[in-house]
Amino acid sequence: MFGGGSIQLARVAGIRIGIDPSWFFILFLIIWSLSGYYSDRFPDGSTAFVLATISALLFFGSVLLHELGHAFEARRSGIGIIGIDLWMFGGVAKMERDSQSAGEEFRVAVAGPLVTLAIAAICWVVASLLGGVDASSDALRLDAVPQDELVAVIGYLGFINLLLLVFNLIPGFPLDGGRIARAAAWRITGSRNRATRFAGLLGRGFGFAMIAGGAAMFLLWGNLIGGIWLAIIGLFLNQAARSAIVQTQLTDHLEGISVADIMDSEPVAVPADLPLDRAHDEYFLRYRWPWFPVVDADGRLVGIVGEESVTSLPEAVRPGRTVATVMAGDSGDGVSSLRVGAEEPLEALLGREALVRLGALLAVDDDGRLRGMVTADAVRRALAPATGR
Ligand SMILES: [Zn+2]
């Protein structure tokens, strides 16, 4: 939804953590405004700056933990995680597919706010413990200062996480609260599309309210930066909600169509035990496709093999090695992101990141046997009547 073109910061439990260039801008803004906030209590300029920097980084750490909450819960439900991106307005955990049930939607949506609540609670407990100790020995002693600073940072962290919690629980899609509202509407109506429209309309409403609130902040209280900030967030919320609603109009047209209806039911697949020289000549040279599905002797989909993983090996060693030794299997970023049930509704294909990245998905039956290939073109053709193109 947001982000793109991010710089990889780290990998946590196999999940790529990326930072969008806009993040550096907001980091700078936060440090700058926090320096002002801390300098009231710590007049020494460099102390205020150091505390502001630590606080800003801890704030982004909290946002990251929040997104990891979503990501781990999604993964538990079998939803692949493309990565987490930190950007101007916080974080976003990118997932390979939409939720398949109201319960799944609720669990994934609520996992992030629960993490944030836990951080806020821990900060509150620690700050009040330290604060309590501090009060008894508070007698302008120099060695009491570091503790003061610690309490100030923890107090800020608790406060900002509480704010984060309240903001995320605003019931407008695609905020977490909006996803919870969507899950509830989904459970009640039994329709994903109606639920998305309902939560999306709430999202648009809250988006407009934030824009109006931003204008009021400027006009009534002269707060220009805060006002612009709130209005921009409202604008993004409104836009994101709007595109979610537009997508439901698309998926309405797809009801009753399954993956099997539009797939190529005679896909070309490479046997896993084929030597690489033959795979190169009989598949890559012949069809000129960048990758192929790989099947075992029973026709079960076991991986995909890209041209590069064959051509990067010297020709002399290719006859002695099989496709199975170089293919991307089920682990990591391999074939799992491409697998789709042949009997699943066509709607399940929408928003599948691998369809865009690799141009096709692989349809399997209940036994994991490869039944077909669905290309991005075929999906586009199926959507054409709905999009009017
Ligand atoms: Zn969240």
Side-chain angles (χ1 to χ4, degrees):
M1 184 168 51
F2 304 125
S6 66
I7 306 155
Q8 180 170 333
L9 176 72
R11 290 189 88 90
V12 177
I15 298 172
R16 178 187 188 277
I17 311 295
I19 286 182
D20 188 84
S22 65
W23 180 86
F24 292 101
F25 166 72
I26 195 64
L27 179 68
F28 167 77
L29 258 189
I30 291 180
I31 292 174
W32 176 68
S33 74
L34 276 176
S35 292
Y37 159 80
Y38 281 122
S39 64
D40 290 347
R41 256 179 94 181
F42 305 98
D44 167 22
S46 62
T47 306
F49 177 75
V50 168
L51 293 185
T53 307
I54 292 172
S55 302
L57 292 174
L58 286 173
F59 166 57
F60 278 105
S62 314
V63 172
L64 183 59
L65 287 175
H66 172 110
E67 295 305 330
L68 281 169
H70 288 303
F72 283 135
E73 184 54 43
R75 202 189 248 176
R76 235 169 49 90
S77 306
I79 304 175
I81 303 299
I82 301 161
I84 291 174
D85 272 349
L86 297 177
W87 72 306
M88 234 166 114
F89 298 119
V92 55
K94 296 186 191 166
M95 299 173 194
E96 259 161 9
R97 63 164 173 81
D98 198 1
S99 309
Q100 279 169 348
S101 68
E104 196 175 281
E105 174 77 353
F106 175 77
R107 285 192 302 274
V108 174
V110 87
L114 282 179
V115 171
T116 301
L117 178 66
I119 297 173
I122 290 168
C123 287
W124 184 77
V125 169
V126 172
S128 52
L129 282 177
L130 286 175
V133 175
D134 193 44
S136 59
S137 64
D138 186 19
L140 286 173
R141 279 166 46 203
L142 279 176
D143 57 354
V145 171
Q147 187 167 316
D148 248 14
E149 291 158 355
L150 192 62
V151 172
V153 170
I154 292 172
Y156 162 78
L157 195 62
F159 165 75
I160 200 73
N161 272 284
L162 208 59
L163 205 65
L164 202 63
L165 180 70
V166 172
F167 174 74
N168 274 295
L169 287 180
I170 291 174
F173 192 82
L175 296 175
D176 294 336
R179 295 191 62 175
I180 292 169
R182 180 188 184 220
W186 191 347
R187 176 57 50 84
I188 293 166
T189 64
S191 160
R192 181 213 307 250
N193 275 350
R194 284 173 68 183
T196 307
R197 275 195 285 272
F198 166 71
L201 282 174
L202 286 177
R204 296 206 67 184
F206 279 105
F208 282 127
M210 283 180 205
I211 295 170
M217 267 173 92
F218 171 57
L219 295 173
L220 300 181
W221 297 290
N223 186 344
L224 179 65
I225 292 184
I228 288 179
W229 195 243
L230 190 61
I232 291 178
I233 293 177
L235 208 64
F236 269 98
L237 177 58
N238 187 13
Q239 288 282 324
R242 209 184 132 238
S243 61
I245 294 172
V246 167
Q247 198 179 348
T248 64
Q249 287 157 4
L250 258 175
T251 48
D252 269 347
H253 290 264
L254 303 180
E255 254 162 57
I257 307 178
S258 72
V259 171
D261 292 330
I262 66 157
M263 71 186 182
D264 168 7
S265 53
E266 284 169 9
V268 178
V270 184
D273 55 4
L274 196 72
L276 289 176
D277 57 326
R278 285 185 55 196
H280 184 251
D281 294 349
E282 294 167 25
Y283 290 87
F284 289 103
L285 279 187
R286 183 171 161 207
Y287 294 96
R288 299 270 167 198
W289 293 344
W291 60 271
F292 289 90
V294 180
V295 292
D296 66 10
D298 298 322
R300 270 190 293 267
L301 177 66
V302 290
I304 59 170
V305 61
E307 185 166 14
E308 246 186 50
S309 49
V310 178
T311 54
S312 63
L313 289 174
E315 270 182 54
V317 306
R318 290 183 204 165
R321 292 185 64 175
T322 64
V323 169
T325 62
V326 299
M327 71 182 185
D330 253 326
S331 60
D333 302 327
V335 71
S336 54
S337 65
L338 290 169
R339 217 183 274 269
V340 63
E343 298 313 319
E344 277 186 60
L346 186 54
E347 206 182 310
L349 300 180
L350 300 179
R352 287 283 293 254
E353 185 266 347
L355 187 61
V356 178
R357 184 163 45 94
L358 290 165
L361 293 177
L362 302 168
V364 294
D365 63 17
D366 291 343
D367 299 323
R369 274 190 291 266
L370 181 64
R371 285 296 178 223
M373 185 182 248
V374 197
T375 62
D377 268 345
V379 174
R380 225 170 276 133
R381 277 197 300 276
L383 290 177
T387 54
R389 264 180 274 145

